[in-house]
């Protein structure tokens, strides 16, 4: 597509419920990132996918968080048993590739984000 | 560990004044450095990037940044602030296989 699409744009849920957030990256982009943006916290890295390599999950805050990327394209971030502290904007970004060398300079294109509110 | 530090969560300047937003990084590998901007109710977009070709990098809307290896800094400047520059600015670093961001600096521009 023309840009990175995220859905839903807004999600209100009750504490303890599971939520799924979807990201559709730019066609052909092999690298996909999830970040969390909380008020005053900047952008917190969550997880990164690069092609068919094993994802870098080092930023996931707990085992309630998981993500998958099917067919090297669409990604879903799942939060189980949501807590109030999970309330934030979840941003997805993609780039043509990632890593060192010439590819390391690739720019991230961000989606508009999914705003999650846990009551 | 790699990290990005932005000094000052809020910066306020008068219209026409110099804008200086500070960013320092820590890394053991050569960095690729970026500044992104987030205007109110909009997504993040690239302002400029450093990829070792030149230490002084020019970006959109009159912004520029200078890479100083000795100071591990990549501060963002603009000679004359405009009201439309009011936004949140994020410094970012790619040194391995992921991009990490600073906490952001919100720029306020006073008339």
């Amino acid at each position: 597509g023309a840009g990175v699409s995220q859905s839903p744009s807004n999600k209100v849920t009750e504490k303890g419920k599971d939520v799924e957030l979807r990201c559709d990256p730019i066609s052909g982009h092999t690298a996909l990132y999830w970040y969390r943006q909380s008020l005053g916290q900047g952008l917190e890295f969550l997880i990164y996918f690069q092609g068919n390599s094993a994802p870098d999950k080092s930023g996931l805050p707990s085992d309630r968080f998981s993500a998958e990327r099917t067919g090297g394209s669409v990604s879903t971030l799942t939060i189980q048993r949501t807590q109030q502290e999970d309330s934030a904007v979840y941003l997805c970004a993609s780039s043509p590739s990632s890593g060192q060398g010439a590819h390391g300079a690739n720019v991230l294109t961000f989606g508009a984000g999914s705003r999650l509110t846990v009551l | 560990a790699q990290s990005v530090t932005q000094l000052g969560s809020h910066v306020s300047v008068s219209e026409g004044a110099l804008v200086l937003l500070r960013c320092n990084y820590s890394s053991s590998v050569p960095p690729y450095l970026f500044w992104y901007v987030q205007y109110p109710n909009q997504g993040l977009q690239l302002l400029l990037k450093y990829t070792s070709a030149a230490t002084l990098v020019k970006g959109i809307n009159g912004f520029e940044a200078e890479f100083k290896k000795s100071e591990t800094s990549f501060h963002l400047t603009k000679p004359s602030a405009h009201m439309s520059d009011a936004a949140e600015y994020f410094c970012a670093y790619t040194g391995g296989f992921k991009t990490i961001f600073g906490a952001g600096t919100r720029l306020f521009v006073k008339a």
Side-chain angles (χ1 to χ4, degrees), chain B residues 6 35 48 69 94 96:
Chain B
Q6 292 184 239
W35 277 96
L48 50 81
K69 184 178 180 180
T94 299

Side-chain angles (χ1 to χ4, degrees), chain A residues 42, chain B residues 4-9 21-24 35-36 88-92 101-106:
Chain B
V4 178
T5 303
Q6 292 184 239
L7 298 178
S9 59
L21 305 182
R22 300 177 186 273
C23 173
N24 288 86
W35 277 96
Y36 286 81
E88 188 152 21
Y89 293 80
F90 293 92
C91 183
F101 287 79
T105 298
R106 185 166 294 279

Side-chain angles (χ1 to χ4, degrees), chain B residues 61-77:
Chain B
N61 300 335
F63 283 92
E64 62 183 35
E66 185 173 9
F67 171 69
K68 292 187 177 180
K69 184 178 180 180
S70 61
E71 299 178 7
T72 61
S73 69
F74 191 56
H75 302 331
L76 181 70
T77 60

Side-chain angles (χ1 to χ4, degrees), chain A residues 35 37 42 48 58 99-101 108, chain B residues 32 36 38 95-99 103:
Chain A
Y35 293 90
Q37 185 175 22
Y48 142 77
S58 61
Q100 286 293 65
L108 302 185
Chain B
Y32 294 96
Y36 286 81
Q38 187 175 34
F97 293 92
K98 64 189 180 189
T99 298

Side-chain angles (χ1 to χ4, degrees), chain A residues 52-113:
Chain A
N52 296 320
S53 303
D56 179 344
K57 304 179 181 180
S58 61
L60 294 178
S62 77
D63 59 8
R64 296 186 296 105
F65 288 72
S66 63
E68 61 179 26
R69 188 179 185 190
T70 54
S73 181
V74 173
S75 177
T76 302
L77 177 68
T78 302
I79 309 173
Q80 297 179 308
R81 306 181 302 282
T82 52
Q83 304 294 312
Q84 289 182 333
E85 61 263 28
D86 299 335
S87 296
V89 176
Y90 289 82
L91 294 170
C92 177
S94 69
S95 76
S97 66
S98 183
Q100 286 293 65
H103 298 305
N106 275 317
V107 173
L108 302 185
T109 301
F110 282 85

